[in-house]
Amino acid sequence: MSKINRQEILDILDEYDKEDITIATLGSHSSLHMFQGAKTEGFRTAAVCEKGREVPYQRFGVVDEIITVDKFSDIVNDEVQEQLKDLNSIVFPHGSFVAYAGLDNIETIFNVPMFGNRDILRWEAERDLERKLMTESGVRIPKKITDPAKIEGTVMVKFPGARGGRGYFVASSTEEYDEKIEAMKKRGWIEEEDIKEAHIEEYVLGCNYCIHYFFSGLKQDAEVLGMDSRYESTIDGLVRVPAKDQLDLNADPSYVVTGNHPVVIRESLLPQVFDIGDKITEGAKKLVPPGFNGPFCMQTLVTDNLEVVVFEMSARSDGGTNTFMNGSQYSYLYHGEPLSMGRRMALEIKNGIKEDRLDEIIT
Ligand code: ADP
């Protein structure tokens, strides 16, 4: 199936009444602050909700319209798309939206105008593209080990797709790698066909900072809006067990994200934080024009050499943005009032309308 022609989206946007725009997304992931922020900026909001998942949106009073579907993936159905377009909707993408709508569908059949860059979503989903973007942008990432036989020092082993770290493991030798692959298979966390897709990289010992940037296409600036660190099961539970008892548990650590903590980084590291944002946005402009547009997140580990190493990125609103629904220390510095990622997105749409430049930031 062929890719959606950009002109088709712009034609649909052209038909919209710009005084009567709805901000819409799937009711999940990081949608609460998107709806709240959109309402604060004066937009109508619409949530596409799986039956039974409407409660938070109604109870927090952040949505005007609920479009109920049997399953989240129905958001790409013709009738749902028509309903969204009838409301003059601009869709705010987030992790669940991309997962349920499906990348292929977003690229080929979902023609509701979206905020962002449709083409960049694939660069997050495919590890080789993600590495290419980071390497060519000059961002420091963990070194890749191409062959399990060449493992020297501690490595992290990952498998395709964002799976909340399930099945990921740490190994320090080829023998340990082989043993753990077998153990993960037995546990049912990886399948035989996953093994050839195993990605092995340098284990970076450090603290986790997930940095939430907003790239303003209108201002051509990468803003740092907030940071979180992940609360992962079982690794964060294991560290509460005395070291001498950890072995008795006989549990391989897993990295299933269960929540997020807001965090601030040492002020002296902020030049590196801005440098990473500037490098990756410049790189993305060249590789996937027009590059980043709106929220993205660089997931990093900060070592005791105070080096910020990026191990993963999100090319859309990341779940960790939920740590600053009422604004973060950083968003306060820009705006002097509580500003969530969702509200920043709505503000960009508002400015795009005001400056008659909406076509530059819609995809
Ligand atoms: P997913 O995208 O599947 O959720 P991530 O790539 O975010 O998985 O990794 C899950 C967790 O594993 C991270 O939050 C981090 O704690 C840890 N991790 C990932 N890569 C490395 C690495 N190279 N070194 C050390 N820890 C890592």
Side-chain angles (χ1 to χ4, degrees), residues 142 156 158 161-165 168 201-204 230 232 255 299 301 311-312:
M156 176 100 189
K158 303 181 178 185
R163 41 173 87 195
Y168 289 15
E201 67 184 29
E202 161 198 7
Y203 187 86
V204 179
R230 303 288 140 102
E232 292 164 336
Y255 301 83
Q299 301 177 32
L301 293 159
F311 64 90
E312 176 83 285

Side-chain angles (χ1 to χ4, degrees), residues 53-218:
R53 293 279 297 264
E54 306 88 347
V55 175
Y57 311 100
Q58 289 164 334
R59 299 282 285 270
F60 286 122
V62 290
V63 293
D64 300 309
E65 310 270 345
I66 291 193
I67 300 173
T68 307
V69 289
D70 288 333
K71 42 189 195 325
F72 279 132
S73 54
D74 291 344
I75 190 167
V76 300
N77 289 359
D78 287 344
E79 319 83 82
V80 180
Q81 291 200 48
E82 284 315 311
Q83 268 178 283
L84 288 170
K85 284 180 272 191
D86 286 345
L87 286 166
N88 297 326
S89 297
I90 293 176
V91 168
F92 281 6
H94 53 55
S96 299
F97 168 76
V98 176
Y100 288 110
L103 264 184
D104 288 340
N105 291 333
I106 293 171
E107 288 173 347
T108 59
I109 62 168
F110 187 76
N111 67 5
V112 184
M114 275 169 50
F115 177 35
N117 173 358
R118 272 173 211 259
D119 295 332
I120 210 162
L121 299 170
R122 188 166 290 283
W123 288 69
E124 157 191 348
E126 293 181 15
R127 208 181 294 281
D128 290 344
L129 288 179
E130 185 190 58
R131 282 189 81 81
K132 183 180 160 81
L133 175 55
M134 299 220 229
T135 315
E136 294 195 12
S137 303
V139 170
R140 162 82 162 95
I141 56 175
K143 287 177 200 73
K144 183 176 172 174
I145 288 99
T146 48
D147 180 353
K150 290 188 185 142
I151 294 176
E152 282 169 23
T154 308
V155 297
M156 176 100 189
V157 183
K158 303 181 178 185
F159 296 92
R163 41 173 87 195
R166 193 181 284 272
Y168 289 15
F169 64 82
V170 177
S172 298
S173 66
T174 306
E175 294 71 45
E176 193 181 346
Y177 173 88
D178 292 337
E179 272 167 32
K180 289 197 170 165
I181 285 276
E182 283 312 309
M184 288 296 165
K185 266 198 324 196
K186 245 186 228 139
R187 197 181 275 190
W189 281 15
I190 60 170
E191 306 287 331
E192 185 62 40
E193 63 261 29
D194 290 329
I195 298 173
K196 60 178 186 316
E197 305 286 338
H199 166 87
I200 311 171
E201 67 184 29
E202 161 198 7
Y203 187 86
V204 179
L205 192 55
C207 300
N208 178 230
Y209 292 81
C210 297
I211 308 165
H212 304 284
Y213 298 89
F214 180 88
F215 186 76
S216 167
L218 299 177

Side-chain angles (χ1 to χ4, degrees), residues 304-325:
D304 55 1
N305 288 329
L306 298 177
E307 188 180 20
V308 184
V309 183
V310 182
F311 64 90
E312 176 83 285
M313 73 170 192
S314 305
R316 34 75 201 165
S317 165
D318 179 279
T321 54
N322 286 333
T323 55
F324 60 102
M325 294 203 205

Side-chain angles (χ1 to χ4, degrees), residues 25-32 35 48 53 57 72 94 96 100:
T25 192
L26 211 62
S28 178
H29 195 266
S30 49
S31 67
L32 278 170
F35 294 133
V48 178
R53 293 279 297 264
Y57 311 100
F72 279 132
H94 53 55
S96 299
Y100 288 110

